Short mmCIF file of all heavy atoms in Angstrom, two decimals:
data_model
loop_
_atom_site.label_atom_id
_atom_site.label_comp_id
_atom_site.label_asym_id
_atom_site.label_seq_id
_atom_site.Cartn_x
_atom_site.Cartn_y
_atom_site.Cartn_z
N MET J 1 103.34 47.23 57.49
CA MET J 1 102.24 47.34 56.56
C MET J 1 102.73 48.05 55.29
O MET J 1 103.45 49.04 55.37
CB MET J 1 101.11 48.14 57.20
CG MET J 1 99.86 48.14 56.41
SD MET J 1 98.53 48.77 57.42
CE MET J 1 97.84 49.94 56.30
N ALA J 2 102.34 47.54 54.15
CA ALA J 2 102.80 48.10 52.89
C ALA J 2 102.00 49.35 52.55
O ALA J 2 100.77 49.36 52.58
CB ALA J 2 102.64 47.08 51.78
N VAL J 3 102.72 50.41 52.24
CA VAL J 3 102.11 51.68 51.82
C VAL J 3 102.75 52.09 50.51
O VAL J 3 103.97 52.07 50.38
CB VAL J 3 102.32 52.78 52.88
CG1 VAL J 3 101.71 54.08 52.43
CG2 VAL J 3 101.75 52.35 54.22
N GLN J 4 101.91 52.44 49.54
CA GLN J 4 102.46 52.81 48.23
C GLN J 4 103.20 54.13 48.32
O GLN J 4 102.87 55.02 49.10
CB GLN J 4 101.35 52.89 47.20
CG GLN J 4 100.35 54.00 47.45
CD GLN J 4 99.19 53.94 46.49
OE1 GLN J 4 98.92 52.90 45.94
NE2 GLN J 4 98.52 55.07 46.30
N LYS J 5 104.24 54.23 47.50
CA LYS J 5 105.06 55.43 47.52
C LYS J 5 104.47 56.52 46.63
O LYS J 5 104.50 57.71 46.97
CB LYS J 5 106.46 55.08 47.05
CG LYS J 5 107.51 56.11 47.34
CD LYS J 5 108.89 55.55 47.09
CE LYS J 5 109.93 56.53 47.58
NZ LYS J 5 111.28 55.99 47.38
N ASN J 6 103.94 56.12 45.48
CA ASN J 6 103.36 57.07 44.53
C ASN J 6 101.91 56.70 44.24
O ASN J 6 101.53 55.53 44.29
CB ASN J 6 104.15 57.07 43.22
CG ASN J 6 105.57 57.54 43.41
OD1 ASN J 6 105.82 58.46 44.18
ND2 ASN J 6 106.50 56.88 42.75
N ARG J 7 101.12 57.70 43.86
CA ARG J 7 99.72 57.50 43.54
C ARG J 7 99.59 56.75 42.21
O ARG J 7 100.29 57.05 41.25
CB ARG J 7 99.04 58.86 43.46
CG ARG J 7 97.57 58.78 43.18
CD ARG J 7 96.97 60.17 43.16
NE ARG J 7 95.56 60.09 42.86
CZ ARG J 7 94.77 61.13 42.78
NH1 ARG J 7 95.26 62.34 43.00
NH2 ARG J 7 93.50 60.99 42.49
N LYS J 8 98.66 55.78 42.17
CA LYS J 8 98.40 55.04 40.93
C LYS J 8 97.49 55.85 40.02
O LYS J 8 96.52 56.47 40.48
CB LYS J 8 97.73 53.70 41.23
CG LYS J 8 98.58 52.77 42.06
CD LYS J 8 99.83 52.36 41.30
CE LYS J 8 100.65 51.41 42.12
NZ LYS J 8 102.04 51.80 42.21
N THR J 9 97.78 55.86 38.75
CA THR J 9 96.99 56.62 37.78
C THR J 9 95.70 55.87 37.47
O THR J 9 95.61 54.66 37.64
CB THR J 9 97.77 56.83 36.48
OG1 THR J 9 98.01 55.57 35.88
CG2 THR J 9 99.09 57.54 36.74
N PRO J 10 94.68 56.58 36.97
CA PRO J 10 93.44 55.89 36.58
C PRO J 10 93.67 54.82 35.51
O PRO J 10 92.97 53.81 35.49
CB PRO J 10 92.57 57.03 36.04
CG PRO J 10 93.06 58.25 36.71
CD PRO J 10 94.53 58.04 36.89
N SER J 11 94.65 55.02 34.66
CA SER J 11 94.95 54.03 33.62
C SER J 11 95.45 52.73 34.25
O SER J 11 95.00 51.64 33.88
CB SER J 11 96.01 54.58 32.67
OG SER J 11 96.44 53.60 31.77
N LYS J 12 96.37 52.83 35.20
CA LYS J 12 96.89 51.64 35.86
C LYS J 12 95.79 50.95 36.68
O LYS J 12 95.71 49.73 36.73
CB LYS J 12 98.06 51.99 36.78
CG LYS J 12 99.29 52.45 36.06
CD LYS J 12 99.94 51.30 35.32
CE LYS J 12 101.23 51.75 34.67
NZ LYS J 12 101.85 50.71 33.86
N ARG J 13 94.94 51.76 37.31
CA ARG J 13 93.83 51.21 38.07
C ARG J 13 92.89 50.43 37.15
O ARG J 13 92.45 49.32 37.47
CB ARG J 13 93.07 52.34 38.76
CG ARG J 13 91.89 51.86 39.60
CD ARG J 13 91.05 53.01 40.07
NE ARG J 13 90.46 53.70 38.92
CZ ARG J 13 90.10 54.96 38.89
NH1 ARG J 13 90.28 55.72 39.96
NH2 ARG J 13 89.56 55.49 37.82
N GLY J 14 92.60 51.01 35.99
CA GLY J 14 91.72 50.33 35.04
C GLY J 14 92.34 49.06 34.49
O GLY J 14 91.65 48.07 34.28
N MET J 15 93.65 49.08 34.25
CA MET J 15 94.33 47.88 33.76
C MET J 15 94.28 46.76 34.81
O MET J 15 94.13 45.59 34.47
CB MET J 15 95.77 48.19 33.38
CG MET J 15 95.92 48.91 32.06
SD MET J 15 97.61 48.97 31.52
CE MET J 15 98.08 50.59 32.12
N ARG J 16 94.39 47.12 36.07
CA ARG J 16 94.33 46.12 37.13
C ARG J 16 92.92 45.54 37.23
O ARG J 16 92.75 44.34 37.46
CB ARG J 16 94.72 46.75 38.47
CG ARG J 16 94.81 45.74 39.60
CD ARG J 16 95.07 46.38 40.94
NE ARG J 16 93.93 47.15 41.41
CZ ARG J 16 93.91 48.46 41.58
NH1 ARG J 16 94.99 49.19 41.31
NH2 ARG J 16 92.83 49.07 42.02
N ARG J 17 91.91 46.38 37.05
CA ARG J 17 90.53 45.93 37.18
C ARG J 17 89.99 45.24 35.93
O ARG J 17 88.85 44.78 35.94
CB ARG J 17 89.63 47.13 37.49
CG ARG J 17 89.87 47.73 38.85
CD ARG J 17 88.97 48.92 39.05
NE ARG J 17 89.16 49.53 40.35
CZ ARG J 17 88.57 50.65 40.75
NH1 ARG J 17 87.75 51.29 39.93
NH2 ARG J 17 88.79 51.13 41.95
N SER J 18 90.75 45.17 34.87
CA SER J 18 90.24 44.65 33.60
C SER J 18 89.85 43.18 33.70
O SER J 18 89.02 42.71 32.92
CB SER J 18 91.26 44.85 32.50
OG SER J 18 92.40 44.05 32.73
N HIS J 19 90.39 42.43 34.64
CA HIS J 19 90.09 41.00 34.76
C HIS J 19 89.11 40.71 35.88
O HIS J 19 88.86 39.54 36.20
CB HIS J 19 91.38 40.22 35.01
CG HIS J 19 92.40 40.43 33.95
ND1 HIS J 19 92.29 39.89 32.70
CD2 HIS J 19 93.54 41.15 33.94
CE1 HIS J 19 93.33 40.27 31.96
NE2 HIS J 19 94.10 41.03 32.70
N ASP J 20 88.54 41.74 36.50
CA ASP J 20 87.66 41.54 37.64
C ASP J 20 86.21 41.28 37.26
O ASP J 20 85.42 40.91 38.13
CB ASP J 20 87.70 42.76 38.57
CG ASP J 20 89.04 42.89 39.28
OD1 ASP J 20 89.83 41.93 39.23
OD2 ASP J 20 89.29 43.95 39.87
N SER J 21 85.85 41.46 36.01
CA SER J 21 84.44 41.31 35.63
C SER J 21 84.02 39.85 35.71
O SER J 21 84.83 38.93 35.58
CB SER J 21 84.22 41.83 34.21
OG SER J 21 84.95 41.05 33.30
N LEU J 22 82.72 39.63 35.92
CA LEU J 22 82.19 38.28 35.98
C LEU J 22 82.03 37.74 34.57
O LEU J 22 81.59 38.43 33.66
CB LEU J 22 80.83 38.28 36.69
CG LEU J 22 80.86 38.68 38.16
CD1 LEU J 22 79.44 38.76 38.69
CD2 LEU J 22 81.66 37.69 38.96
N LYS J 23 82.36 36.48 34.40
CA LYS J 23 82.26 35.84 33.10
C LYS J 23 80.92 35.09 33.01
O LYS J 23 80.44 34.54 34.00
CB LYS J 23 83.39 34.83 32.90
CG LYS J 23 84.79 35.39 33.12
CD LYS J 23 85.19 36.30 32.00
CE LYS J 23 86.64 36.72 32.08
NZ LYS J 23 86.97 37.73 33.02
N ALA J 24 80.35 35.05 31.83
CA ALA J 24 79.13 34.29 31.62
C ALA J 24 79.48 32.80 31.58
O ALA J 24 80.56 32.42 31.11
CB ALA J 24 78.48 34.70 30.30
N PRO J 25 78.60 31.93 32.08
CA PRO J 25 78.92 30.50 32.06
C PRO J 25 78.97 29.99 30.63
O PRO J 25 78.18 30.40 29.78
CB PRO J 25 77.77 29.86 32.83
CG PRO J 25 76.67 30.85 32.78
CD PRO J 25 77.32 32.20 32.69
N THR J 26 79.92 29.10 30.36
CA THR J 26 80.05 28.54 29.02
C THR J 26 79.04 27.40 28.87
O THR J 26 79.07 26.43 29.63
CB THR J 26 81.47 28.01 28.78
OG1 THR J 26 81.81 27.10 29.83
CG2 THR J 26 82.47 29.15 28.77
N LEU J 27 78.15 27.53 27.93
CA LEU J 27 77.09 26.56 27.74
C LEU J 27 77.28 25.81 26.44
O LEU J 27 77.85 26.32 25.47
CB LEU J 27 75.73 27.26 27.73
CG LEU J 27 75.36 28.01 29.00
CD1 LEU J 27 74.04 28.74 28.81
CD2 LEU J 27 75.27 27.08 30.18
N SER J 28 76.82 24.57 26.41
CA SER J 28 76.87 23.74 25.22
C SER J 28 75.50 23.14 24.99
O SER J 28 74.67 23.08 25.88
CB SER J 28 77.88 22.61 25.38
OG SER J 28 79.17 23.13 25.45
N VAL J 29 75.29 22.66 23.78
CA VAL J 29 74.04 21.99 23.43
C VAL J 29 74.37 20.52 23.16
O VAL J 29 75.28 20.21 22.38
CB VAL J 29 73.39 22.64 22.19
CG1 VAL J 29 72.14 21.89 21.79
CG2 VAL J 29 73.09 24.10 22.48
N ASP J 30 73.64 19.62 23.83
CA ASP J 30 73.88 18.19 23.65
C ASP J 30 73.46 17.76 22.26
O ASP J 30 72.44 18.20 21.74
CB ASP J 30 73.10 17.40 24.70
CG ASP J 30 73.47 15.94 24.69
OD1 ASP J 30 74.65 15.64 24.94
OD2 ASP J 30 72.59 15.10 24.42
N SER J 31 74.26 16.89 21.65
CA SER J 31 73.99 16.49 20.26
C SER J 31 72.78 15.58 20.15
O SER J 31 72.10 15.58 19.12
CB SER J 31 75.21 15.79 19.68
OG SER J 31 75.54 14.65 20.46
N THR J 32 72.48 14.80 21.17
CA THR J 32 71.36 13.86 21.10
C THR J 32 70.04 14.50 21.49
O THR J 32 69.07 14.45 20.75
CB THR J 32 71.63 12.66 22.03
OG1 THR J 32 72.88 12.11 21.70
CG2 THR J 32 70.56 11.61 21.90
N THR J 33 70.02 15.13 22.67
CA THR J 33 68.76 15.66 23.19
C THR J 33 68.52 17.11 22.81
O THR J 33 67.39 17.57 22.86
CB THR J 33 68.73 15.55 24.72
OG1 THR J 33 69.81 16.31 25.26
CG2 THR J 33 68.86 14.12 25.17
N GLY J 34 69.57 17.84 22.48
CA GLY J 34 69.42 19.26 22.16
C GLY J 34 69.29 20.13 23.39
O GLY J 34 68.95 21.30 23.28
N GLU J 35 69.58 19.58 24.56
CA GLU J 35 69.49 20.34 25.80
C GLU J 35 70.73 21.19 26.01
O GLU J 35 71.82 20.82 25.61
CB GLU J 35 69.35 19.40 26.99
CG GLU J 35 67.93 19.03 27.32
CD GLU J 35 67.85 18.39 28.67
OE1 GLU J 35 68.32 17.26 28.80
OE2 GLU J 35 67.32 19.03 29.58
N THR J 36 70.54 22.32 26.68
CA THR J 36 71.65 23.18 27.03
C THR J 36 72.20 22.76 28.38
O THR J 36 71.44 22.50 29.31
CB THR J 36 71.18 24.64 27.10
OG1 THR J 36 70.56 24.98 25.86
CG2 THR J 36 72.34 25.58 27.33
N HIS J 37 73.54 22.68 28.49
CA HIS J 37 74.17 22.28 29.74
C HIS J 37 75.52 22.96 29.87
O HIS J 37 76.03 23.54 28.91
CB HIS J 37 74.34 20.75 29.78
CG HIS J 37 75.23 20.23 28.69
ND1 HIS J 37 76.58 20.04 28.86
CD2 HIS J 37 74.96 19.88 27.41
CE1 HIS J 37 77.10 19.59 27.73
NE2 HIS J 37 76.14 19.48 26.84
N LEU J 38 76.08 22.92 31.08
CA LEU J 38 77.42 23.46 31.29
C LEU J 38 78.45 22.57 30.61
O LEU J 38 78.26 21.35 30.51
CB LEU J 38 77.73 23.50 32.80
CG LEU J 38 77.01 24.55 33.61
CD1 LEU J 38 77.32 24.35 35.08
CD2 LEU J 38 77.45 25.94 33.19
N ARG J 39 79.54 23.18 30.14
CA ARG J 39 80.59 22.41 29.49
C ARG J 39 81.17 21.40 30.48
O ARG J 39 81.33 21.69 31.66
CB ARG J 39 81.72 23.33 29.02
CG ARG J 39 81.31 24.38 28.04
CD ARG J 39 81.29 23.89 26.64
NE ARG J 39 82.63 23.55 26.19
CZ ARG J 39 82.88 22.94 25.06
NH1 ARG J 39 81.90 22.62 24.27
NH2 ARG J 39 84.10 22.66 24.69
N HIS J 40 81.49 20.21 30.01
CA HIS J 40 82.07 19.12 30.79
C HIS J 40 81.16 18.65 31.92
O HIS J 40 81.63 18.09 32.90
CB HIS J 40 83.44 19.51 31.35
CG HIS J 40 84.40 19.93 30.28
ND1 HIS J 40 84.69 21.26 30.06
CD2 HIS J 40 85.10 19.24 29.37
CE1 HIS J 40 85.53 21.35 29.06
NE2 HIS J 40 85.80 20.14 28.63
N HIS J 41 79.85 18.90 31.79
CA HIS J 41 78.87 18.40 32.73
C HIS J 41 77.78 17.67 31.94
O HIS J 41 77.57 17.95 30.77
CB HIS J 41 78.22 19.54 33.52
CG HIS J 41 79.12 20.16 34.52
ND1 HIS J 41 80.19 20.95 34.17
CD2 HIS J 41 79.12 20.12 35.87
CE1 HIS J 41 80.81 21.37 35.26
NE2 HIS J 41 80.17 20.88 36.31
N MET J 42 77.09 16.75 32.59
CA MET J 42 76.01 16.05 31.90
C MET J 42 74.74 16.89 31.94
O MET J 42 74.62 17.81 32.75
CB MET J 42 75.78 14.69 32.52
CG MET J 42 75.25 14.71 33.90
SD MET J 42 74.97 13.04 34.43
CE MET J 42 73.90 13.35 35.80
N THR J 43 73.80 16.55 31.07
CA THR J 43 72.53 17.26 31.02
C THR J 43 71.65 16.78 32.17
O THR J 43 71.91 15.74 32.77
CB THR J 43 71.80 16.99 29.69
OG1 THR J 43 71.49 15.60 29.62
CG2 THR J 43 72.64 17.39 28.50
N PRO J 44 70.60 17.51 32.49
CA PRO J 44 69.69 17.06 33.56
C PRO J 44 69.04 15.71 33.25
O PRO J 44 68.63 15.00 34.17
CB PRO J 44 68.63 18.17 33.62
CG PRO J 44 69.33 19.37 33.10
CD PRO J 44 70.29 18.88 32.06
N ASP J 45 68.94 15.33 31.98
CA ASP J 45 68.37 14.03 31.63
C ASP J 45 69.37 12.89 31.78
O ASP J 45 69.00 11.74 31.63
CB ASP J 45 67.88 14.05 30.18
CG ASP J 45 66.59 14.84 30.04
OD1 ASP J 45 65.95 15.12 31.07
OD2 ASP J 45 66.23 15.18 28.90
N GLY J 46 70.65 13.19 32.03
CA GLY J 46 71.64 12.14 32.23
C GLY J 46 72.47 11.83 31.01
O GLY J 46 73.13 10.80 30.95
N TYR J 47 72.50 12.72 30.01
CA TYR J 47 73.31 12.51 28.81
C TYR J 47 74.63 13.25 28.91
O TYR J 47 74.71 14.35 29.44
CB TYR J 47 72.56 13.00 27.57
CG TYR J 47 71.48 12.06 27.11
CD1 TYR J 47 70.19 12.16 27.60
CD2 TYR J 47 71.75 11.07 26.17
CE1 TYR J 47 69.19 11.30 27.19
CE2 TYR J 47 70.77 10.21 25.74
CZ TYR J 47 69.49 10.33 26.25
OH TYR J 47 68.52 9.47 25.83
N TYR J 48 75.69 12.63 28.38
CA TYR J 48 77.00 13.28 28.30
C TYR J 48 77.64 12.87 26.99
O TYR J 48 77.80 11.68 26.72
CB TYR J 48 77.89 12.88 29.48
CG TYR J 48 79.23 13.58 29.48
CD1 TYR J 48 79.31 14.93 29.81
CD2 TYR J 48 80.39 12.91 29.16
CE1 TYR J 48 80.53 15.58 29.81
CE2 TYR J 48 81.62 13.57 29.17
CZ TYR J 48 81.67 14.90 29.49
OH TYR J 48 82.88 15.56 29.49
N LYS J 49 77.99 13.83 26.16
CA LYS J 49 78.57 13.60 24.84
C LYS J 49 77.70 12.67 23.99
O LYS J 49 78.19 11.80 23.29
CB LYS J 49 79.98 13.03 24.95
CG LYS J 49 80.99 14.00 25.50
CD LYS J 49 82.39 13.42 25.42
CE LYS J 49 83.41 14.41 25.93
NZ LYS J 49 84.76 13.87 25.89
N GLY J 50 76.39 12.85 24.08
CA GLY J 50 75.47 12.09 23.25
C GLY J 50 75.15 10.70 23.76
O GLY J 50 74.38 9.98 23.13
N ARG J 51 75.73 10.29 24.89
CA ARG J 51 75.46 8.96 25.44
C ARG J 51 74.69 9.08 26.74
O ARG J 51 74.89 10.02 27.50
CB ARG J 51 76.77 8.20 25.72
CG ARG J 51 77.55 7.86 24.48
CD ARG J 51 78.75 7.02 24.82
NE ARG J 51 79.60 7.71 25.80
CZ ARG J 51 80.24 7.10 26.79
NH1 ARG J 51 80.14 5.81 26.96
NH2 ARG J 51 80.99 7.80 27.62
N LYS J 52 73.82 8.11 27.02
CA LYS J 52 73.09 8.07 28.28
C LYS J 52 74.04 7.53 29.34
O LYS J 52 74.50 6.40 29.27
CB LYS J 52 71.87 7.16 28.14
CG LYS J 52 70.98 7.13 29.33
CD LYS J 52 70.12 8.36 29.39
CE LYS J 52 69.02 8.17 30.42
NZ LYS J 52 68.22 9.34 30.58
N VAL J 53 74.36 8.37 30.32
CA VAL J 53 75.34 8.00 31.34
C VAL J 53 74.65 7.49 32.60
O VAL J 53 75.06 6.49 33.19
CB VAL J 53 76.24 9.20 31.69
CG1 VAL J 53 77.31 8.81 32.67
CG2 VAL J 53 76.88 9.76 30.43
N ILE J 54 73.60 8.19 33.02
CA ILE J 54 72.88 7.83 34.24
C ILE J 54 71.42 7.65 33.90
O ILE J 54 70.82 8.50 33.23
CB ILE J 54 73.05 8.92 35.32
CG1 ILE J 54 74.51 9.00 35.75
CG2 ILE J 54 72.16 8.65 36.51
CD1 ILE J 54 74.78 10.04 36.80
N GLU J 55 70.86 6.54 34.37
CA GLU J 55 69.44 6.31 34.17
C GLU J 55 68.66 7.22 35.11
O GLU J 55 68.88 7.19 36.32
CB GLU J 55 69.07 4.85 34.45
CG GLU J 55 69.56 3.90 33.37
CD GLU J 55 68.87 4.14 32.04
OE1 GLU J 55 67.68 4.50 32.04
OE2 GLU J 55 69.54 3.98 31.01
N SER J 56 67.78 8.03 34.56
CA SER J 56 66.96 8.90 35.41
C SER J 56 65.76 8.11 35.89
O SER J 56 65.19 7.30 35.15
CB SER J 56 66.53 10.14 34.63
OG SER J 56 65.93 9.76 33.42
N PRO J 57 65.36 8.29 37.15
CA PRO J 57 64.23 7.52 37.69
C PRO J 57 62.91 7.92 37.03
O PRO J 57 62.71 9.08 36.69
CB PRO J 57 64.23 7.88 39.18
CG PRO J 57 64.91 9.21 39.24
CD PRO J 57 65.90 9.23 38.12
N VAL J 58 62.06 6.94 36.84
CA VAL J 58 60.73 7.18 36.26
C VAL J 58 59.80 7.55 37.40
O VAL J 58 59.64 6.79 38.38
CB VAL J 58 60.22 5.94 35.52
CG1 VAL J 58 58.83 6.17 34.97
CG2 VAL J 58 61.20 5.57 34.42
N ILE J 59 59.16 8.69 37.30
CA ILE J 59 58.25 9.16 38.35
C ILE J 59 56.82 8.81 37.95
O ILE J 59 56.35 9.21 36.89
CB ILE J 59 58.40 10.68 38.56
CG1 ILE J 59 59.82 11.01 38.96
CG2 ILE J 59 57.43 11.17 39.60
CD1 ILE J 59 60.11 12.50 39.00
N GLU J 60 56.16 8.05 38.82
CA GLU J 60 54.79 7.66 38.56
C GLU J 60 53.88 8.38 39.56
O GLU J 60 54.18 8.44 40.76
CB GLU J 60 54.61 6.14 38.71
CG GLU J 60 55.42 5.36 37.70
CD GLU J 60 55.26 3.88 37.89
OE1 GLU J 60 54.39 3.47 38.67
OE2 GLU J 60 56.01 3.13 37.24
N PHE J 61 52.78 8.92 39.07
CA PHE J 61 51.84 9.64 39.92
C PHE J 61 50.64 8.74 40.19
O PHE J 61 50.12 8.05 39.29
CB PHE J 61 51.38 10.94 39.24
CG PHE J 61 52.49 11.91 39.07
CD1 PHE J 61 53.11 12.09 37.83
CD2 PHE J 61 52.94 12.67 40.14
CE1 PHE J 61 54.13 13.01 37.66
CE2 PHE J 61 53.96 13.59 39.98
CZ PHE J 61 54.55 13.76 38.76
N GLU J 62 50.18 8.76 41.43
CA GLU J 62 48.99 8.01 41.78
C GLU J 62 47.77 8.92 41.65
O GLU J 62 47.80 10.07 42.10
CB GLU J 62 49.08 7.53 43.23
CG GLU J 62 50.18 6.53 43.47
CD GLU J 62 50.23 6.10 44.92
OE1 GLU J 62 49.27 6.38 45.67
OE2 GLU J 62 51.23 5.49 45.29
N GLU J 63 46.74 8.42 41.03
CA GLU J 63 45.51 9.19 40.89
C GLU J 63 44.54 8.74 41.95
O GLU J 63 44.31 7.55 42.14
CB GLU J 63 44.94 9.00 39.49
CG GLU J 63 45.81 9.60 38.42
CD GLU J 63 45.15 9.52 37.06
OE1 GLU J 63 43.92 9.47 37.00
OE2 GLU J 63 45.88 9.50 36.08
N GLU J 64 43.99 9.67 42.66
CA GLU J 64 43.06 9.33 43.75
C GLU J 64 41.63 9.52 43.34
O GLU J 64 41.24 10.27 42.55
CB GLU J 64 43.36 10.18 44.97
CG GLU J 64 44.72 9.90 45.52
CD GLU J 64 45.01 10.76 46.72
OE1 GLU J 64 44.07 11.25 47.38
OE2 GLU J 64 46.20 10.96 47.02
#
């Protein structure tokens, strides 16, 4: 089992932890719809890079 020989200083500990923070998701705005989406992903409406990629189903409600 590996055991350190010397105690690590708070500076070295902080330098090691500097990359541990959580990053915010990178968001983009679609040029056609203006919707916010994740980078390199399509919008919930089915647009990617301003083009309609997937036809979203039309939901019809029945009135009783």
Side-chain angles (χ1 to χ4, degrees):
M1 189 167 131
V3 179
Q4 66 186 22
K5 195 168 188 178
N6 296 321
R7 182 178 178 180
K8 297 295 182 230
T9 64
S11 173
K12 292 290 184 185
R13 180 190 63 206
M15 283 191 264
R16 185 185 70 245
R17 292 179 180 175
S18 67
H19 303 287
D20 291 348
S21 64
L22 295 175
K23 307 288 188 282
T26 54
L27 299 176
S28 293
V29 177
D30 188 61
S31 59
T32 306
T33 61
E35 271 193 290
T36 305
H37 62 93
L38 288 174
R39 300 276 294 171
H40 304 102
H41 288 71
M42 67 177 198
T43 63
D45 286 345
Y47 283 89
Y48 183 73
K49 291 187 178 179
R51 294 185 303 142
K52 185 78 167 176
V53 183
I54 295 180
E55 287 294 326
S56 52
V58 178
I59 300 172
E60 297 178 10
F61 295 102
E62 295 180 13
E63 293 186 26
E64 297 179 22

